Amino acid sequence: MSWSHRETKVNRAIYNSKVTPTILVPGSSASQDRFDYLIKQLNTGSNKHGLIKVVVDKKGDVSIHGKYYADDLAPYFVIAFENNRDGYENIKKQAYWLDKAMLILQEHYRFRQFQAIGHSNGGLIWTRYLEKYYQAQSLQLSVLMTIGTPYNFSELSVHNRTKMLDDFIKNRKHLPSDLTVYSVIGTETYDNDGIVPEQSVEAGKFIFQKQVAHYTQITVTGDDAQHSDLVQNRQIINMIEQNVLPQNHGDWHKR
């Protein structure tokens, strides 16, 4: 088979695919195991899906491991980075690596539609990716949920905009206009989640409001509302089940 015929066949398979993965990106200092508890909770009962973990090393090389079922229409993919340090310049690198990993995953697992979740800086990486690398003609993101994402880093006031927030606002017109975004705030002390200021998470409205189809900000209090605990918060897990996961792929296989 010639290269052009193979490419056409792959593109057709991707375009017609019913596979709709949920792709998760952890925050700074977090590994590919960050969402293990969350996915275990989502995978209860008969509603079980495969989990593929992707790690991009410091050279940009991508490794893939995990369990994928051929008939699974809604697998979980976690994309993590060996260089998981904080800071805007690093987030730019991670968004570039995310794009590279996405292209490899798409060709390997043949999907077009997907949902995305980002915890902490993972939400920043997704935002940078959407503004700079996302191509709507080859991929279709329906829902993005960011959890405890510091759109203005540690600033307590949106009047003190970081370079990153300025850039996000400046480039917001590149965001997909048909996207639904949920921004979840955890509050431990009613002004922060123990790490991220509430005002920094709220700054996301200046990026997404009136730019995407729907933008909803949700505040979570009580147990597991501390920053690092948010991905195991029962309220957030319920929100993911109801608002992020593809509803028509739930009970795909009895295992």
Side-chain angles (χ1 to χ4, degrees):
M1 184 184 296
S2 70
W3 180 84
S4 60
H5 285 169
R6 180 183 177 278
E7 184 182 39
T8 301
K9 187 176 180 180
V10 169
N11 288 342
R12 189 182 300 119
I14 289 171
Y15 188 82
N16 294 325
S17 175
K18 291 181 171 60
V19 176
T20 310
T22 300
I23 306 178
L24 305 93
V25 175
S28 61
S29 302
S31 75
Q32 66 271 22
D33 302 325
R34 186 69 182 89
F35 298 104
D36 282 2
Y37 178 86
L38 169 63
I39 293 171
K40 182 179 179 181
Q41 296 305 303
L42 296 172
N43 262 344
T44 55
S46 61
N47 187 19
K48 286 183 169 57
H49 297 277
L51 170 58
I52 298 295
K53 295 181 180 180
V54 179
V55 179
V56 187
D57 70 16
K58 293 178 181 178
K59 296 179 180 178
D61 294 328
V62 177
S63 62
I64 301 174
H65 57 96
K67 183 177 287 187
Y68 179 79
Y69 309 108
D71 53 350
D72 189 353
L73 298 180
Y76 297 103
F77 299 156
V78 175
I79 302 176
F81 312 98
E82 184 183 17
N83 176 2
N84 56 15
R85 289 180 290 109
D86 200 1
Y88 185 31
E89 290 306 311
N90 220 48
I91 285 162
K92 291 178 183 178
K93 293 178 186 176
Q94 291 161 339
Y96 170 76
W97 290 330
L98 173 60
D99 180 51
K100 184 174 182 178
M102 288 289 290
L103 294 173
I104 292 171
L105 284 172
Q106 185 183 38
E107 181 166 0
H108 197 77
Y109 296 103
R110 310 288 174 89
F111 66 92
R112 184 165 184 262
Q113 299 186 15
F114 71 102
Q115 305 75 233
I117 296 173
H119 175 238
S120 193
N121 281 10
L124 304 178
I125 297 165
W126 276 121
T127 304
R128 170 79 177 180
Y129 164 83
L130 288 172
E131 292 188 347
K132 188 169 178 65
Y133 300 105
Y134 176 76
Q135 298 291 329
Q137 64 267 31
S138 58
L139 283 165
Q140 187 174 355
L141 174 61
S142 55
V143 181
L144 168 66
M145 176 179 281
T146 62
I147 304 170
T149 293
Y151 294 102
N152 202 26
F153 280 141
S154 59
E155 291 293 338
L156 297 176
S157 171
V158 294
H159 300 295
N160 299 324
R161 287 184 181 174
T162 60
K163 175 69 164 59
M164 180 183 67
L165 179 57
D166 268 339
D167 286 350
F168 282 160
I169 293 171
K170 181 174 67 176
N171 296 312
R172 65 201 296 261
K173 293 192 181 300
H174 296 296
L175 292 167
S177 59
D178 57 349
L179 179 64
T180 294
V181 177
Y182 296 97
S183 175
V184 180
I185 301 174
T187 175
E188 188 180 48
T189 62
Y190 296 98
D191 58 9
N192 66 64
D193 62 12
I195 295 178
V196 173
E198 191 171 332
Q199 298 91 328
S200 180
V201 183
E202 289 178 342
K205 65 185 178 185
F206 298 109
I207 304 165
F208 295 106
Q209 271 185 353
K210 299 181 180 178
Q211 198 59 53
V212 298
H214 305 284
Y215 172 77
T216 304
Q217 182 178 290
I218 303 164
T219 300
V220 172
T221 61
D223 293 341
D224 293 328
Q226 198 272 342
H227 185 74
S228 60
D229 295 334
L230 289 171
V231 292
Q232 57 194 46
N233 181 287
R234 189 65 243 180
Q235 294 177 70
I236 294 174
I237 293 170
N238 290 342
M239 282 188 278
I240 291 171
E241 289 174 332
Q242 294 165 15
N243 301 311
V244 179
L245 302 185
Q247 298 304 307
N248 58 331
H249 294 337
D251 195 11
W252 73 280
H253 208 297
K254 301 295 184 184
R255 292 192 179 274

